[in-house]
Amino acid sequence: MTEIELLERIKNDPFEFSELFKAYYKPIFGYIFRRTGSFDDTADIAADTFLKAFNGIKNFNYRGISIKVWLYRIATNETNQYFRHKQKHHAVFERLDFENKNNFNTLLTDDCKELEAKLQKHEQFLSILTHLKTLPVKYQEVISLRYFEGKDNKEIVEILDINEGTLKSLLSRGVEKLREKCNQL
């Protein structure tokens, strides 16, 4: 089924939104988690993201922007709103909680277990996150989407609603700033 067909089904029957939720909850949750580093905050933000999507889907018109991109935009906006509200712009990745693994094991699906394995697999990951949190949010967003989420430039441009030249500049500068911070050890 195409996104357009799914969109029509959802508009005709709101219960069909569950198909959209099943398809995109895990990747959206992972994206938010890698931005916040907190399971509880991520669960709240993901819930708000899908609630906004559910409430707004009737007004969504397919104009070249996919539902996936639309959901990532909502998630990005909700995450940024969370940090603005909590005044935590500079603490984006500070609160990774690896002591409460039982909570992760009982509440997360296999996708979260895969995420945890990826986090443990990379020895330098936590060090990089520590340095990444000191960068401005605009660099954190593009670096997270590109390197943590594996999004290509076209998807990032759509999600953040910026032009490709700006994206390339942000990525280049952000990676260079992060590299400089990591080499200062």
Side-chain angles (χ1 to χ4, degrees):
M1 167 181 357
T2 68
E3 281 192 344
I4 296 172
E5 292 170 339
L6 177 59
L7 182 60
E8 287 305 313
R9 286 178 56 192
I10 292 169
K11 287 182 178 185
N12 291 329
D13 182 4
F15 288 106
E16 292 292 327
F17 187 83
S18 66
E19 294 300 315
L20 189 69
F21 182 85
K22 288 175 195 173
Y24 295 112
Y25 183 79
K26 290 177 186 180
I28 294 291
F29 186 96
Y31 167 63
I32 297 168
F33 178 75
R34 287 184 278 277
R35 293 276 321 274
T36 66
S38 165
F39 175 80
D40 292 333
D41 292 338
T42 297
D44 291 343
I45 296 167
D48 289 344
T49 296
F50 280 93
L51 178 61
K52 278 200 172 173
F54 180 77
N55 289 332
I57 195 84
K58 62 186 170 287
N59 298 320
F60 180 86
N61 292 318
Y62 192 84
R63 289 179 246 160
I65 296 175
S66 71
I67 294 174
K68 177 173 77 170
V69 167
W70 180 64
L71 288 171
Y72 270 96
R73 282 184 179 179
I74 295 171
T76 297
N77 290 336
E78 288 298 306
T79 303
N80 290 340
Q81 182 179 353
Y82 162 80
F83 285 120
R84 278 191 302 273
H85 180 71
K86 297 288 186 176
Q87 298 178 352
K88 295 182 181 178
H89 287 285
H90 299 292
V92 173
F93 291 102
E94 191 171 71
R95 301 177 328 129
L96 287 175
D97 177 15
F98 291 102
E99 295 176 11
N100 195 1
K101 287 187 181 178
N102 289 335
N103 192 21
F104 285 110
N105 290 334
T106 57
L107 297 176
L108 296 178
T109 61
D110 292 336
D111 187 58
C112 186
K113 290 178 185 178
E114 182 180 319
L115 171 64
E116 186 177 316
K118 286 181 182 179
L119 292 176
Q120 293 174 355
K121 180 180 174 185
H122 302 286
E123 295 176 4
Q124 297 177 345
F125 187 76
L126 292 177
S127 174
I128 291 170
L129 289 181
T130 300
H131 294 295
L132 186 60
K133 73 179 180 177
T134 65
L135 296 178
V137 172
K138 62 185 178 182
Y139 297 127
Q140 293 177 28
E141 289 174 345
V142 295
I143 290 171
S144 292
L145 287 167
R146 178 71 170 157
Y147 297 104
F148 298 154
E149 301 305 313
K151 302 297 179 199
D152 62 27
N153 286 1
K154 183 180 180 211
E155 289 176 302
I156 298 170
V157 163
E158 289 178 354
I159 291 167
L160 297 179
D161 197 22
I162 58 177
N163 67 46
E164 191 166 0
T166 301
L167 171 63
K168 289 178 179 179
S169 176
L170 288 172
L171 275 172
S172 176
R173 289 180 187 152
V175 169
E176 184 57 34
K177 288 178 182 289
L178 183 59
R179 186 176 289 127
E180 288 171 5
K181 290 183 178 287
C182 289
N183 288 333
Q184 290 177 354
L185 295 176

